[in-house]
Amino acid sequence: MTNTPASKSRDNAVDTPRWGPVLVMALAMLMVTLEMSLSAVTLPSIGQELDVGSGAAKWVILAYALPTAALAIPAGRWVDRADTRLVFLAAVAAVGLTSVLAALAPSLWVLLVARVLQGATGAMVVAIYMPVVAASVPARLRGRALGYVATIMPLGSMAGSSLGGFVADAYGWRPVFLVKLPVLLVVWWLGARMLPRGRGGLPAPDRTLLTDVLVLGGAVTALLLAFDRIESGAAYAAGALAVGAAGLAVVWTRLRSSKPIVALVKRPAFGLPLLSLQLTGTFVGLSLFLLPFFVADVLHAGAELIGLAMIFFVAGIAAGSPLSGRLTDRFPPHLVAGLGGALTLAGLLSTLSLDGRAGLADLSWRLALVGFGQGVFGAPNNTAMLAATPPDMIGTGGGVAATVRTLAFTVGPAIASLAYGLAGGGAQGFRTGVIVLAVLQVGGLLAV
């Protein structure tokens, strides 16, 4: 990739930290991640008002998640040539406009189009995350900066989910898409004031970038849909989609535009943390699949139990992230990430002792340990990848990490579902799923 004027400005060392842009990006990233949790609470009322089943309503979430993951790498490539301030302002404004479109949607199809557009604009916000941090904070403090972002996001997401549930119960699903607009306006205003003006403007996407969107975006979309089909029990459809994804991935590796990205991933200093992110990220199979089914099938309790226990999981992440950032700035990132991975593994293995007499306290401390471990793992792993990325590819590297993280969060529940079903469900299925996820965590530790 050529070093454009926009990217050259990122080569200069940052001596004095500017925390304002980091705060702005933390809030912007929060707005993007909120789209998943906020929309999840609207599914029942969407299905009722638009007269569609739960399977169709689920596409409200998928329609957002798919473009966010599929476009992350092409968006990162584009951001490396653009003015990050202009990209930020345009992307945040687009998030607000597409949220209004979603709230006004007269039918499911219009809503899904709005969600796809929301996902595409979300990919742009994610793509500028790493470049803004790299341009605002010196390398010696990047762990702390990434830790601050990782602290704000789960706390805000938890509060946003609670607010979304209240709004949906009181006023219906449409206002849920609008509750974040006041915060978006503040974020846009702060970004306009705090983000430095750059060079590069908003370049028109060239043919290679559009090809990446079609080929690489198609491969990522097909792979995500394949794992979704696995969870639904459609093995043949999952296999066909996986084959299609593999074919498109092979085609993409033959494109000239893929060469710098492939070379970056092959670099051990970047590729090993990336592999660790992929393997350790599957832990979500515990919280998103195994524990809810354990609570329902073994404890015969309602969803409110797992909901209360998840508060401790979020609190664990919020406690571990700022500590992790400070440790990362003092010790080698791989040691801190290894500590986080070990704590996650310990929390995961502790769930093997759960039985039919387990209560809120038994679930809570285990989830808190898993969350704390993940909070400790995130900042040093991201810091290691950022340090290994060439200055003119920071947006691209961030896009690669975002795509892999999304794949991990999709693979985890799918693998847990498969293991649970093959073992016959119940307590035995739960323990089998935990063991499979633990093996993946060990692989992530070895990669670290």
Side-chain angles (χ1 to χ4, degrees):
M1 181 177 298
T2 58
N3 205 347
T4 64
S7 62
K8 282 181 181 177
S9 64
R10 298 172 198 152
D11 291 347
N12 300 326
V14 181
D15 295 324
T16 304
R18 291 181 292 112
W19 296 107
V22 176
L23 172 62
V24 170
M25 280 311 308
L27 293 174
M29 290 288 287
L30 171 60
M31 293 298 99
V32 171
T33 55
L34 263 180
E35 287 296 343
M36 297 293 288
S37 54
L38 282 177
S39 60
V41 303
T42 66
L43 296 186
S45 52
I46 287 176
Q48 184 177 5
E49 180 179 330
L50 300 183
D51 194 25
V52 296
S54 59
K58 186 178 71 170
W59 275 92
V60 174
I61 294 178
L62 288 176
Y64 179 82
L66 291 177
T68 302
L71 299 179
I73 295 176
R77 281 191 59 217
W78 182 69
V79 163
D80 283 330
R81 298 158 43 204
D83 178 353
T84 52
R85 179 178 179 274
L86 290 180
V87 174
F88 177 89
L89 296 177
V92 172
V95 170
L97 291 174
T98 53
S99 297
V100 173
L101 178 60
L104 298 177
S107 66
L108 178 64
W109 290 109
V110 176
L111 177 58
L112 293 182
V113 170
R115 293 291 286 169
V116 169
L117 294 175
Q118 277 187 306
T121 57
M124 301 306 301
V125 175
V126 172
I128 60 176
Y129 167 41
M130 289 295 189
V132 168
V133 171
S136 305
V137 181
R140 69 179 187 278
L141 295 176
R142 285 177 183 171
R144 193 171 306 180
L146 295 172
Y148 290 156
V149 176
T151 304
I152 292 173
M153 288 171 59
L155 290 177
S157 182
M158 181 174 64
S161 298
S162 300
L163 176 62
F166 171 78
V167 172
D169 288 340
Y171 306 105
W173 64 270
R174 295 181 185 275
V176 174
F177 288 103
L178 303 177
V179 295
K180 64 181 177 297
L181 290 185
V183 180
L184 276 176
L185 289 173
V186 173
V187 170
W188 192 95
W189 179 77
L190 289 174
R193 289 179 59 87
M194 294 184 177
L195 295 182
R197 297 180 183 273
R199 291 176 291 176
L202 296 176
D206 56 27
R207 190 168 67 177
T208 64
L209 195 63
L210 296 176
T211 302
D212 272 1
V213 169
L214 293 175
V215 178
L216 183 58
V220 174
T221 300
L223 187 58
L224 291 174
L225 289 175
F227 285 110
D228 178 69
R229 293 294 85 195
I230 289 176
E231 288 189 78
S232 303
Y236 291 112
L241 286 166
V243 171
L248 287 172
V250 170
V251 171
W252 178 74
T253 59
R254 304 295 178 89
L255 300 177
R256 179 180 300 177
S257 59
S258 72
K259 303 305 180 184
I261 303 174
V262 173
L264 176 63
V265 173
K266 286 183 176 180
R267 186 179 301 176
F270 184 91
L272 289 176
L274 188 71
L275 176 61
S276 182
L277 174 64
Q278 172 69 70
L279 294 174
T280 59
T282 58
F283 83 94
V284 298
L286 174 71
S287 56
L288 297 185
F289 184 88
L290 292 176
L291 277 178
F293 274 87
F294 179 83
V295 168
D297 297 344
V298 179
L299 302 184
H300 305 292
E304 65 274 8
L305 176 59
I306 190 65
L308 289 172
M310 286 300 293
I311 294 176
F312 291 85
F313 171 75
V314 175
I317 294 178
S321 297
L323 173 63
S324 169
R326 291 182 176 274
L327 291 176
T328 300
D329 292 334
R330 297 183 59 186
F331 302 101
H334 69 278
L335 295 181
V336 184
L339 173 62
L343 291 171
T344 302
L345 176 61
L348 193 65
L349 291 175
S350 71
T351 64
L352 291 173
S353 61
L354 290 172
D355 56 28
R357 297 169 295 177
L360 177 61
D362 301 299
L363 297 177
S364 297
W365 74 262
R366 290 170 171 86
L367 279 172
L369 180 56
V370 172
F372 186 78
Q374 277 300 296
V376 172
F377 171 82
N381 203 63
N382 287 337
T383 300
M385 286 189 286
L386 180 56
T389 306
D392 61 333
M393 290 186 64
I394 291 178
T396 303
V400 172
T403 300
V404 168
R405 185 180 298 108
T406 302
L407 289 174
F409 287 0
T410 305
V411 170
I415 290 177
S417 171
L418 184 61
Y420 185 86
L422 291 176
Q428 184 58 41
F430 172 79
R431 293 190 179 94
T432 302
V434 168
I435 291 171
V436 172
L437 294 180
V439 171
L440 295 173
Q441 298 301 309
V442 172
L445 272 173
L446 292 176
V448 169

